[in-house]
């Protein structure tokens, strides 16, 4: 029987969700949708020392903003809960003990000081200390101590950890969907801690137990977890769960826009682009981070950009709705080499989504800006401005900022532009133009263009000589779309008012 696809996004709430984390969530989501499966959200909060308050809420909000609906898990419920690992503490203990009893794990009573001393000693010899098959025989653990002694220590409540007994010198041939066969030798791996006497499992144990109990079919996660793969597979074996073990896919790294290495949150601040989906203030350091949402990106554009970081459709298509991605996504087309992050391309995506919006939709997005400035929202007028101007912008905020002159008359005239275009003979010319403007009733582009052009031609004035100072008078600077468009939008009364004001100010 085909196994039901069940994938999980399993972040640790140690801070804001980096865009790499969102990409992991997205690929899991797309894979689930493509195969009619379930997308789970599990919060891996077993490391209490790294817990950041608010991080879990941040993760949930970010997924919502991106439109990645969680089917099951924290915030969504489900029959395999609880989905927050700190609420599953009791579950892990029995599994840790099970591994001890089957001879796959053992109690280790070595203190932090003792292990530190061993580490230092190795370092002084230019070696690295590893708790493994070579060293475990001479250390303080249940493999060496007499049974009664172990029991005594446990009864006395001595601090211990349970470690995995990593086999010695075993060649492991493992399979990753993206990378194919991957080889590891177990001697390079140490006896990882699985459980601590404070009752908390470590990531490795909790992760495997939960993936098993939650019937996860595919583990899709970042490449940084590839080195943990051998331990994870060995844990499945040790539990006797290899038959139902999930398949693994490790996603390529997201690389810095320039230079080498993994994209870090510092790169964002340095180069002026967000690395987080939403704004975030670190509750401990109070450091403030930009977010795609607040910086004016559309979630669809952000998601579209992320989808192409490591995956490609095999065609030239670049713009995808989430729905299209759900239909086309496949792990076969995820590459294994790192994907360079390009902040400019992200802006390009936003631009594409901005221009694809209908004028009515865009007008609605401009509305809050107008309201914040106490300006009247004239839907038809705003839509007209959007038609005319949207091609020029990546963000609604920039569109609004640049188009404010449609709503607010200039309070000053750009010095450089007026010097350049407002000559001695300009006032006379503008007064003449004003008379013409007063005589026109139909302010449609075609009508004003016809009348004013005829006048310019008749007087042999040259277009620039009239239109440039006219522009400075109406807009306050040499910018904006065609003047006949501008006056069509602002209308006769406003055009005349602005002309009179400019003439009074710049006689
Ligand atoms: N809690 C791990 C993380 O923060 C999850 C890794 C995994 O998906 O196995 O990335």
């Amino acid at each position: 029987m085909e196994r039901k696809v069940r994938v999980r996004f399993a972040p640790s709430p140690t801070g804001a969700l980096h865009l790499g984390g969102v990409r992991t969530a997205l690929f899991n989501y797309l894979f689930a949708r493509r195969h009619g499966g379930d997308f789970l959200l599990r919060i891996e909060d077993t490391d209490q020392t790294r817990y950041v308050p608010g991080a879990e809420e941040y993760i949930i909000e970010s997924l919502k903003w991106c439109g990645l609906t969680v089917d099951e898990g924290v915030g969504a419920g489900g029959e395999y809960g609880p989905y927050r690992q700190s609420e599953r503490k009791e579950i892990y203990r029995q599994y840790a003990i099970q591994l001890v009893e089957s001879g796959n794990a053992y109690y280790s009573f070595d203190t932090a000081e003792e292990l530190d001393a061993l580490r230092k000693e190795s370092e002084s010899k230019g070696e690295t200390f590893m708790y493994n098959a070579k060293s475990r025989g001479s250390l303080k653990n249940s493999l060496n101590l007499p049974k009664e002694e172990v029991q005594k220590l446990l009864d006395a409540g001595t601090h211990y950890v349970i470690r995995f007994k990593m086999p010695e010198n075993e060649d492991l041939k493992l399979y990753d969907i993206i990378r194919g066969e991957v080889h590891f030798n177990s001697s390079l791996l140490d006896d990882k801690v699985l459980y601590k006497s404070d009752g908390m499992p470590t990531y490795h144990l909790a992760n495997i137990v939960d993936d098993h109990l939650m019937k996860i079919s595919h583990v899709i996660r970042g490449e940084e977890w590839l080195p943990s793969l051998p331990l994870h597979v060995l844990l499945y074996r040790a539990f006797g769960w290899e038959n139902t073990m999930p398949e693994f896919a490790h996603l390529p790294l997201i690389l810095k826009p320039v230079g080498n290495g993994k994209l870090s949150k510092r790169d964002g601040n340095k180069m002026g682009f967000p690395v987080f989906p939403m704004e975030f203030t670190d509750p401990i350091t109070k450091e403030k981070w930009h977010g795609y949402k607040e910086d004016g990106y559309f979630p669809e554009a952000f998601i579209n950009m992320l989808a192409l970081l490591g995956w490609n459709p095999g065609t030239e298509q670049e713009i995808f709705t989430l729905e299209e991605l759900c239909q086309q996504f496949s792990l076969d087309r995820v590459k294994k080499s790192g994907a360079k992050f390009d902040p400019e391309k992200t802006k390009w995506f936003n631009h594409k989504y901005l221009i694809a919006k209908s004028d009515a939709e865009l007008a609605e997005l401009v509305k809050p800006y107008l309201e914040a400035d106490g300006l009247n929202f004239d839907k038809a007028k705003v839509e007209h401005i959007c038609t005319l101007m949207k091609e020029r912008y990546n963000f609604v905020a920039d569109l609004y900022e640049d188009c404010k002159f449609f709503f607010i008359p200039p309070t000053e005239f750009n010095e450089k532009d007026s010097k350049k275009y407002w000559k001695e003979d300009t006032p006379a010319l503008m007064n003449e133009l004003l008379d013409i403007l007063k005589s026109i009733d139909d302010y449609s582009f075609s009508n004003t263009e016809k009348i004013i052009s005829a006048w310019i031609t008749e007087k042999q004035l040259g277009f620039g000589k009239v239109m440039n100072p006219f522009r400075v008078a109406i807009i306050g600077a040499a910018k904006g779309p065609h003047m006949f468009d501008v006056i069509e939008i602002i209308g006769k009364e406003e055009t005349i008012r602005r002309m009179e004001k400019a003439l009074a100010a710049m006689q």
Side-chain angles (χ1 to χ4, degrees):
M1 202 184 78
E2 266 286 293
R3 186 174 189 190
K4 167 137 204 220
V5 165
R6 283 173 61 80
V7 292
R8 82 306 192 268
F9 177 49
S12 300
T14 55
L17 185 62
H18 182 273
L19 62 87
V22 184
R23 191 211 36 188
T24 301
L26 172 66
F27 283 19
N28 274 284
Y29 173 87
L30 297 177
F31 187 76
R33 290 291 168 272
R34 170 79 198 268
H35 298 281
D38 302 325
F39 172 58
L40 281 76
L41 174 65
R42 183 172 74 223
I43 298 290
E44 301 208 325
D45 57 350
T46 52
D47 189 351
Q48 295 291 329
T49 58
R50 297 185 60 215
Y51 181 80
V52 171
E56 180 184 309
E57 291 75 8
Y58 180 93
I59 291 166
I60 293 174
E61 276 309 306
S62 300
L63 295 181
K64 259 196 208 139
W65 179 66
C66 294
L68 306 180
T69 316
V70 171
D71 303 314
E72 189 179 319
V74 174
E79 47 178 306
Y80 296 91
Y83 294 92
R84 207 176 272 114
Q85 289 186 328
S86 57
E87 291 166 16
R88 302 171 61 80
K89 266 167 78 171
E90 285 69 43
I91 301 176
Y92 307 117
R93 191 182 152 70
Q94 49 173 315
Y95 288 102
I97 306 277
Q98 183 185 324
L99 288 184
V100 174
E101 284 171 355
S102 63
N104 287 294
Y106 58 89
Y107 292 100
S108 137
F109 299 99
D110 315 87
T111 64
E113 294 75 35
E114 284 164 350
L115 293 175
D116 245 8
L118 287 168
R119 255 176 232 122
K120 289 214 174 85
E121 195 190 314
S122 296
E123 253 170 52
S124 70
K125 290 191 241 157
E127 293 164 7
T128 318
F129 170 75
M130 285 226 292
Y131 207 122
N132 62 9
K134 288 223 160 55
S135 62
R136 69 169 84 104
S138 57
L139 293 164
K140 217 156 116 196
N141 56 50
S142 60
L143 299 171
N144 308 320
L145 299 169
K147 236 185 159 148
E148 309 74 56
E149 171 81 17
V150 171
Q151 200 51 54
K152 239 203 297 173
L153 286 168
L154 291 177
D155 291 344
T158 316
H159 175 85
Y160 69 83
V161 295
I162 293 180
R163 288 180 185 274
F164 184 65
K165 196 172 155 203
M166 184 59 73
E168 193 176 9
N169 196 20
E170 196 177 312
D171 277 319
L172 297 163
K173 220 189 287 162
L174 309 176
Y175 187 75
D176 176 274
I177 300 175
I178 295 164
R179 279 144 231 278
E181 222 170 68
V182 273
H183 296 251
F184 293 92
N185 184 285
S186 67
S187 292
L188 297 173
L189 306 164
D190 59 351
D191 291 357
K192 278 270 177 292
V193 174
L194 301 177
Y195 189 81
K196 291 178 260 173
S197 51
D198 65 3
M200 269 297 189
T202 59
Y203 154 73
H204 301 291
L205 178 72
N207 190 269
I208 267 52
V209 167
D210 286 349
D211 282 348
H212 172 72
L213 295 178
M214 295 177 186
K215 296 201 163 57
I216 297 303
S217 63
H218 295 77
V219 167
I220 303 169
R221 61 185 174 189
E223 187 184 300
E224 64 274 23
W225 297 104
L226 189 60
S228 301
L229 182 61
L231 171 64
H232 292 181
V233 172
L234 288 170
L235 278 168
Y236 281 103
R237 276 188 204 166
F239 279 120
W241 299 336
E242 218 183 334
N243 284 344
T244 55
M245 181 171 81
E247 289 183 55
F248 292 90
H250 291 87
L251 305 176
L253 291 177
I254 299 179
L255 305 173
K256 292 179 193 302
V258 284
N260 297 322
K262 199 172 144 176
L263 176 72
S264 79
K265 57 181 186 181
R266 303 271 159 223
D267 294 324
N269 273 3
K270 253 191 280 166
M271 297 180 61
F273 62 84
V275 289
F276 296 122
M278 303 187 313
E279 236 168 45
F280 184 71
T281 305
D282 191 305
I284 296 149
T285 63
K286 301 286 172 236
E287 217 171 341
K288 215 175 154 178
W289 301 88
H290 277 257
Y292 279 88
K293 179 179 176 197
E294 294 77 5
D295 277 13
Y297 287 85
F298 300 118
E300 301 86 346
F302 178 58
I303 284 298
N304 196 151
M305 174 279 290
L306 284 181
L308 293 167
L309 274 185
W311 172 79
N312 72 79
T315 63
E316 294 295 304
Q317 186 176 352
E318 283 192 286
I319 303 295
F320 293 89
T321 62
L322 191 56
E323 199 44 52
E324 284 172 311
L325 288 171
C326 291
Q327 283 156 13
Q328 294 192 33
F329 182 79
S330 96
L331 286 173
D332 307 340
R333 301 211 63 91
V334 175
K335 57 175 187 174
K336 42 179 183 232
S337 54
K340 223 178 207 359
F341 177 71
D342 180 355
E344 289 312 310
K345 187 82 190 201
T346 316
K347 288 184 191 155
W348 177 86
F349 275 112
N350 217 60
H351 173 73
K352 290 286 178 196
Y353 278 86
L354 189 148
I355 58 174
K357 290 203 186 292
S358 71
D359 294 327
E361 270 176 292
L362 267 182
E364 283 306 316
L365 295 172
V366 170
K367 192 175 174 186
Y369 290 94
L370 282 166
E371 286 171 349
D373 280 343
L375 295 167
N376 189 28
F377 175 64
D378 173 343
K379 193 158 182 274
K381 177 173 170 179
V382 178
E383 282 185 22
H384 193 165
I385 295 170
C386 290
T387 321
L388 208 61
M389 303 294 282
K390 65 181 178 185
E391 276 292 342
R392 306 172 181 218
Y393 303 101
N394 297 330
F395 301 99
V396 175
D398 292 346
L399 182 151
Y400 174 67
E401 206 43 53
D402 239 24
C403 293
K404 259 188 182 174
F405 66 82
F406 283 110
F407 308 95
I408 309 170
T411 48
E412 52 191 38
F413 301 92
N414 181 285
E415 217 184 292
K416 201 175 119 239
D417 295 339
S418 4
K419 217 163 153 187
K420 189 163 169 198
Y421 299 122
W422 202 273
K423 306 282 183 204
E424 248 189 66
D425 58 348
T426 305
L429 214 55
M430 289 299 110
N431 267 314
E432 222 177 296
L433 175 60
L434 179 57
D435 286 339
I436 299 171
L437 288 165
K438 281 181 178 165
S439 73
I440 304 173
D441 282 322
D442 171 8
Y443 262 58
S444 66
F445 185 109
S446 56
N447 193 49
T448 55
E449 183 192 35
K450 193 177 76 205
I451 298 172
I452 294 170
S453 304
W455 168 67
I456 292 174
T457 316
E458 186 201 307
K459 293 207 69 173
Q460 297 183 328
L461 289 169
F463 231 72
K465 202 169 161 54
V466 174
M467 295 318 263
N468 286 325
F470 183 30
R471 180 178 294 283
V472 173
I474 298 292
I475 299 174
K479 62 166 198 182
H482 210 294
M483 281 313 289
F484 302 123
D485 276 320
V486 176
I487 62 172
E488 175 174 350
I489 291 173
I490 64 174
K492 178 172 179 173
E493 260 177 58
E494 179 69 10
T495 304
I496 290 169
R497 211 179 304 136
R498 289 190 189 191
M499 276 297 265
E500 285 175 342
K501 220 175 120 190
L503 279 163
M506 296 191 288
Q507 274 306 335

